[in-house]
Amino acid sequence: MEEKKAVSEELEQETEDAIHAADVEDSSIEDSETKASMEEDFAEAAEETMEQENAEEIKENEEKQSSGKNEKSSEKKSFFKKKKDKKDEKIEELQDRLMRNMAEFENFRKRSEKEKTQMFEIGAKDIIEKMLPVLDNFERGLGTVSEEEKEGAFVQGIEQIYKQFLKVLEDAGVKPIEAVGKEFDPNFHNAVMHGEDEELGENIVSEEFQKGYLYHDTVVRHSMVKVVN
């Protein structure tokens, strides 16, 4: 404010000096209207200068205030951003731990189911192996029955029990291995005898001494067979 006052007084002094100089130098200018016009021009110039300086000062103050606000806003954003970043990191960490735990649990569940299935199949296979000799005895007994005895009620009853026994095993996933007339396969057949037969091809099973069985595509017992050629 003091600077503005000094500038104003200086401009007024310059105006008066200019008017005085004009009076001295040009004595012919005696018209009061001309002097008044010159005073008005110098006054307007001084007023414009003052207004320009005021406008520049106001603009400077506004820029300072705006800069201060921006700095505060930037500091607030930076502060909240840092807090948000820490929160996001914690969320990501918890999500990662959750996903790992879920994956471990899923692997444990699959492994448990697989072990449970294997234990069940092992137990079932063991029981089936013990039941097969009973099935063999049924077949041997029925094989010794003559044609006349097959019409008897006792033999027919045994045959019904035998068929029921086969049906139960079949429903449980047990099925006989095909052997006679098939090519010998060591994965399913156990060759206990070899021979020659011109009517059959090479490496063909010609006779079956004991039936083999599968349990869900797993060999429970190999077929005991004779292979020719």
Side-chain angles (χ1 to χ4, degrees):
M1 292 297 293
E2 292 179 356
E3 291 179 358
K4 291 181 181 179
K5 187 176 180 180
V7 172
S8 178
E9 291 176 352
E10 184 178 352
L11 288 172
E12 289 178 359
Q13 184 65 38
E14 289 177 356
T15 302
E16 291 178 358
D17 293 342
I19 293 172
H20 180 70
D23 289 338
V24 173
E25 292 176 1
D26 191 0
S27 58
S28 62
I29 301 174
E30 296 177 353
D31 188 20
S32 60
E33 292 182 358
T34 303
K35 292 180 180 181
S37 176
M38 292 176 65
E39 290 177 355
E40 289 178 359
D41 291 340
F42 282 111
E44 289 178 359
E47 187 176 354
E48 289 179 359
T49 303
M50 291 290 294
E51 289 179 353
Q52 185 176 1
E53 290 180 354
N54 289 335
E56 290 178 355
E57 185 176 357
I58 292 171
K59 184 177 180 181
E60 184 178 356
N61 291 334
E62 289 179 351
E63 289 177 353
K64 289 181 179 179
Q65 291 178 357
S66 176
S67 176
K69 289 181 180 179
N70 291 334
E71 289 178 358
K72 291 181 179 179
S73 176
S74 177
E75 289 176 359
K76 289 181 178 179
K77 288 181 180 179
S78 177
F79 175 74
F80 286 113
K81 185 177 180 182
K82 288 180 180 178
K83 290 192 69 176
K84 186 177 180 181
D85 289 343
K86 290 182 179 179
K87 183 178 179 182
D88 291 341
E89 289 177 1
K90 188 65 175 179
I91 291 173
E92 290 178 359
E93 180 183 353
L94 293 175
Q95 287 179 341
D96 183 64
R97 289 171 60 183
L98 176 62
M99 295 299 293
R100 289 177 182 274
N101 290 336
M102 290 177 65
E104 290 178 1
F105 177 77
E106 183 66 17
N107 293 334
F108 171 76
R109 185 183 64 80
K110 291 180 179 180
R111 185 169 61 253
S112 298
E113 289 181 355
K114 184 177 180 180
E115 292 175 354
K116 183 178 178 181
T117 301
Q118 290 177 346
M119 290 177 66
F120 177 79
E121 290 182 353
I122 291 171
K125 182 180 177 181
D126 185 60
I127 294 173
I128 292 168
E129 287 177 349
K130 293 178 180 179
M131 292 173 65
L132 291 180
V134 179
L135 185 61
D136 294 337
N137 290 332
F138 265 106
E139 293 175 349
R140 293 191 188 97
L142 291 173
T144 60
V145 175
S146 63
E147 293 296 331
E148 296 177 355
E149 292 174 338
K150 287 182 180 181
E151 301 298 330
F154 177 76
V155 175
Q156 289 182 357
I158 296 298
E159 287 181 350
Q160 291 297 324
I161 295 172
Y162 170 69
K163 290 178 181 179
Q164 184 181 9
F165 195 10
L166 288 177
K167 182 67 167 57
V168 170
L169 292 175
E170 183 180 354
D171 292 341
V174 180
K175 59 183 179 180
I177 296 174
E178 296 181 0
V180 178
K182 300 294 181 179
E183 185 177 359
F184 174 76
D185 187 345
N187 295 317
F188 302 106
H189 307 137
N190 179 23
V192 295
M193 188 178 295
H194 293 82
E196 298 292 334
D197 191 333
E198 296 178 356
E199 296 180 359
L200 298 175
E202 184 179 357
N203 208 30
I204 299 298
V205 176
S206 62
E207 190 175 350
E208 184 180 51
F209 303 112
Q210 187 181 56
K211 281 186 178 181
Y213 290 91
L214 296 173
Y215 173 64
H216 295 306
D217 298 328
T218 300
V219 177
V220 179
R221 187 176 73 183
H222 290 76
S223 300
M224 193 177 297
V225 298
K226 176 183 178 180
V227 183
V228 297
N229 305 327

